[in-house]
Amino acid sequence: MQTKEFKAESKRLLDMMINSIYTHKEIFLREIISNASDAIDKLYFKSLTDTSVGMKKSDFAINIAIDKENRTLTVSDNGIGMTEEDLENNLGTIANSGSFAFKKDNDLGDDVDIIGQFGVGFYSTFMVAKEVTVVTKAFGSEQAYKWTSDGVEGYTIEECDKPDGVGTTITLKLKDDTDDEKYSTYLDQYQIQSLVKKYSDYIRFPIRMEVEHTHYNEEGKEPEVHKAIETLNSMTPIWKKNKSELKDEDYNNFYMEKFGDYEPPVTHIHSKNEGVATYDALLYIPARAPFDYYSKDYEKGLQLYSSGVMIMEKCADLLPDWFSFVKGVVDSEDLSLNISRELLQQDRQLKIIAKNLEKSIKNELEKLLKNDREKYEKFYSVFGLQFKFGIYQSYGAANETLKDLLMFPSSFDGKNVTLKEYVSRMKEDQKEIYYACGETKERIEMLPQLEKIKDKGYEVLYFTQDVDEFAIKVMIN
Ligand code: ADP
Ligand code: MG
């Protein structure tokens, strides 16, 4: 047995990992589960045409085991496995790892962010483990192999037995706890359960673990501990389901749970797309603005999944600023799991998806305005200001999207009126749109000039927000 050195760029990445900030470390679990799921996908796909695989979909699973005594966390799959050569090529260098763009500059700040946002695959295990062991047997091969590494210098590969057959078992020997970092949290079943829920809930194969339940019977009696194998993930994401299977209540519950809102949303948009871009999206228009919405701290964005695996908590590039209040998830198989933020921003598919989403949000809002005016006006009172900023700040680029969504109070009956409505009831001799600016509706109504225009039978829009006049000027220019 011989120890081989990691390639130079792998070393650098490993270094980066070890120094990554704590909250990012937990994504290692997502990464190994997603690899396990990929491996199962491959063998499952093979099984559809190759009867020698001898497995059906329900046979495939990912198993997690916690061993507190030995401080190990084990994830195993019965997927396609790896040959000796695969081990060498796939785990020996990160160059093969998806489309991870290795950054050449030395700006650790950004690197750390990449880890948090996207993860960097298998190597992320070294953020929490002092030793990683991979035991694997490839489909179609007789011999199993064991790959071991401390993540610092290199790795070893040796022949071994794997009595449970084809697939891969990854064992992480967790690092020792320090004052700042408690790696033993990954030996806690509740923590593992919640991480699977958070990041891997929608993996298509069951993720199982033996879970202990403590029952407290009568007082004074010893509690009983029951153990049971449980599936931790729900397997089908709500956005993958058919609309006909889902009720408003299902949509709303998911929204409130996922985005931590205690009020149901105004409406949702569930769209499935195939063609130039393949993706499923489930978007929500919230009923109320988060407390920091109109501040600099607010971060817009949609949760981004790649084939059921979350790759980004808030992908800002999916939403224009004028729709920054929208919450939701986008799941696309066109995007690679390990894509870096820089590459993602330039990604053609992502741009197409963003354009489509903008259109559907606009259409949904116009529909709401048409069919449920009251609801729309309530929504508009919360988020309408954003549209005006949108028109103003985009120098008119957002005109087409937003012009029919705008509303202003007017002299007609004091109620809100859209520009379309205004124009549709303009007098025949009226050539212009009239507006008057003031702090409040009441103040505007006391303006002497207003009477003159009203006497002609012309309607006057009331501009009570500073941005109103700027926005309209951008629009008519
Ligand atoms: P990526 O998943 O983007 O390819 P990773 O670093 O996560 O990058 O994994 C590197 C490679 O190692 C995978 O592409 C795959 O070939 C192999 N691999 C990792 N885990 C497994 C597994 N559980 N079963 C089979 N192959 C695996
Ligand atoms: Mg991976």
Side-chain angles (χ1 to χ4, degrees):
M1 182 171 71
Q2 160 201 15
T3 305
K4 297 185 179 175
E5 268 198 46
F6 285 117
K7 304 253 162 63
E9 68 269 54
S10 311
K11 273 194 180 167
R12 163 113 207 279
L13 180 63
L14 288 168
D15 228 45
M16 217 167 84
M17 297 278 189
I18 315 285
N19 295 315
S20 149
I21 61 168
Y22 178 69
T23 50
H24 288 155
K25 295 193 173 180
E26 65 187 28
I27 59 105
F28 80 91
L29 189 62
R30 173 193 84 177
E31 295 297 322
I32 43 178
I33 287 175
S34 111
N35 285 348
S37 166
D38 289 347
I40 292 178
D41 262 330
K42 285 178 196 157
L43 191 56
Y44 172 58
F45 185 72
K46 214 179 203 26
S47 75
L48 300 176
T49 53
D50 183 344
T51 51
S52 77
V53 177
M55 287 174 84
K56 49 187 188 314
K57 180 146 195 239
S58 58
D59 294 332
F60 292 103
I62 297 164
N63 286 294
I64 301 181
I66 292 170
D67 181 342
K68 285 196 171 129
E69 241 162 86
N70 293 308
R71 279 184 79 79
T72 62
L73 181 67
T74 302
V75 177
S76 42
D77 66 70
N78 50 0
I80 194 108
M82 283 178 274
T83 63
E84 187 177 13
E85 212 190 333
D86 290 338
L87 276 175
E88 187 80 48
N89 293 337
N90 300 336
L91 305 187
T93 171
I94 74 144
N96 286 8
S97 171
S99 50
F100 179 74
F102 197 72
K103 288 181 59 115
K104 284 164 210 75
D105 58 81
N106 282 318
D107 175 4
L108 189 68
D110 271 358
D111 290 342
V112 167
D113 206 13
I114 289 176
I115 294 171
Q117 303 282 358
F118 303 100
V120 279
F122 173 76
Y123 283 81
S124 60
T125 52
F126 290 109
M127 292 193 286
V128 300
K130 55 179 175 187
E131 187 183 76
V132 178
T133 307
V134 180
V135 170
T136 184
K137 188 173 184 181
F139 171 72
S141 139
E142 287 307 311
Q143 184 61 54
Y145 293 91
K146 183 161 113 182
W147 180 100
T148 310
S149 172
D150 61 2
V152 186
E153 287 306 324
Y155 57 91
T156 60
I157 299 177
E158 62 191 304
E159 292 189 355
C160 70
D161 286 333
K162 190 171 184 299
D164 56 353
V166 169
T168 303
T169 297
I170 299 190
T171 303
L172 310 184
K173 174 102 182 157
L174 295 177
K175 292 183 184 179
D176 300 325
D177 289 358
T178 65
D179 286 345
D180 302 330
E181 315 236 32
K182 305 283 175 242
Y183 298 100
S184 31
T185 179
Y186 304 118
L187 297 169
D188 174 26
Q189 65 173 19
Y190 300 108
Q191 173 71 356
I192 298 298
Q193 278 175 309
S194 95
L195 288 177
V196 170
K197 269 271 163 219
K198 179 170 176 189
Y199 292 112
S200 314
D201 197 40
Y202 314 118
I203 292 285
R204 298 192 295 148
F205 304 99
I207 302 167
R208 300 201 179 110
M209 183 170 74
E210 188 179 70
V211 176
E212 283 185 7
H213 294 281
T214 310
H215 294 272
Y216 299 90
N217 300 326
E218 293 151 53
E219 268 190 51
K221 263 193 165 181
E222 281 290 302
E224 279 175 46
V225 178
H226 295 275
K227 292 181 179 179
I229 306 272
E230 288 179 11
T231 298
L232 309 183
N233 55 328
S234 67
M235 294 200 272
T236 319
I238 177 168
W239 59 87
K240 289 270 182 207
K241 292 184 180 166
N242 284 324
K243 289 184 211 177
S244 57
E245 290 175 64
L246 296 162
K247 295 196 258 329
D248 278 349
E249 199 189 329
D250 298 319
Y251 284 115
N252 292 356
N253 286 342
F254 174 76
Y255 166 79
M256 291 190 282
E257 190 189 34
K258 182 109 182 164
F259 299 104
D261 197 346
Y262 51 81
E263 251 181 79
V266 176
T267 184
H268 64 260
I269 307 164
H270 188 183
S271 60
K272 293 169 176 288
N273 294 270
E274 274 172 36
V276 197
T278 302
Y279 67 92
D280 298 315
L282 178 53
L283 309 185
Y284 291 96
I285 314 278
R288 52 183 203 100
F291 69 95
D292 60 351
Y293 185 62
Y294 285 103
S295 85
K296 288 225 171 346
D297 295 334
Y298 181 76
E299 271 183 81
K300 65 168 182 170
L302 299 175
Q303 229 178 42
L304 185 59
Y305 286 76
S306 140
S307 307
V309 179
M310 189 181 82
I311 59 172
M312 201 171 179
E313 193 94 51
K314 272 188 182 168
C315 180
D317 298 322
L318 284 169
L319 288 176
D321 283 341
W322 39 94
F323 291 152
S324 61
F325 49 84
V326 174
K327 301 269 181 228
V329 299
V330 173
D331 190 349
S332 171
E333 59 196 45
D334 299 340
L335 301 165
S336 151
L337 180 61
N338 279 351
I339 192 167
S340 73
R341 174 186 287 186
E342 286 78 3
L343 285 182
L344 191 66
Q345 274 174 337
Q346 299 154 18
D347 193 89
R348 225 176 63 89
Q349 294 306 109
L350 196 82
K351 288 199 175 123
I352 297 172
I353 297 173
K355 267 280 155 242
N356 287 350
L357 295 179
E358 182 179 1
K359 250 181 252 156
S360 7
I361 298 166
K362 168 190 144 94
N363 291 341
E364 187 65 29
L365 289 172
E366 283 179 359
K367 205 170 88 189
L368 187 69
L369 170 61
K370 201 169 143 222
N371 301 335
D372 194 339
R373 178 96 178 194
E374 204 182 317
K375 220 172 170 183
Y376 183 83
E377 293 214 24
K378 206 169 152 243
F379 152 81
Y380 189 80
S381 70
V382 182
F383 295 112
L385 188 58
Q386 200 60 22
F387 297 163
K388 301 171 187 172
F389 284 132
I391 289 181
Y392 175 55
Q393 283 161 348
S394 71
Y395 303 106
N399 282 1
E400 266 316 297
T401 308
L402 299 178
K403 68 175 181 353
D404 292 334
L405 296 173
L406 292 179
M407 282 188 148
F408 302 94
S410 87
S411 59
F412 185 74
D413 54 6
K415 290 190 187 137
N416 277 334
V417 50
T418 66
L419 295 175
K420 249 189 197 164
E421 287 160 352
Y422 182 100
V423 170
S424 74
R425 59 187 183 218
M426 267 163 64
K427 288 265 161 318
E428 260 169 44
D429 64 331
Q430 187 181 344
K431 295 274 171 313
E432 337 235 48
I433 293 179
Y434 290 89
Y435 65 82
C437 304
E439 238 162 82
T440 61
K441 209 157 95 178
E442 292 69 29
R443 288 229 176 163
I444 294 173
E445 278 171 350
M446 288 178 343
L447 294 172
Q449 304 95 309
L450 191 74
E451 279 313 309
K452 279 199 216 149
I453 304 165
K454 274 171 71 179
D455 284 347
K456 289 192 187 161
Y458 298 166
E459 181 175 359
V460 181
L461 297 175
Y462 296 171
F463 285 2
T464 55
Q465 289 173 316
D466 290 340
V467 67
D468 288 344
E469 202 178 358
F470 294 117
I472 217 82
K473 280 185 174 154
V474 168
M475 285 182 71
I476 54 188
N477 273 340

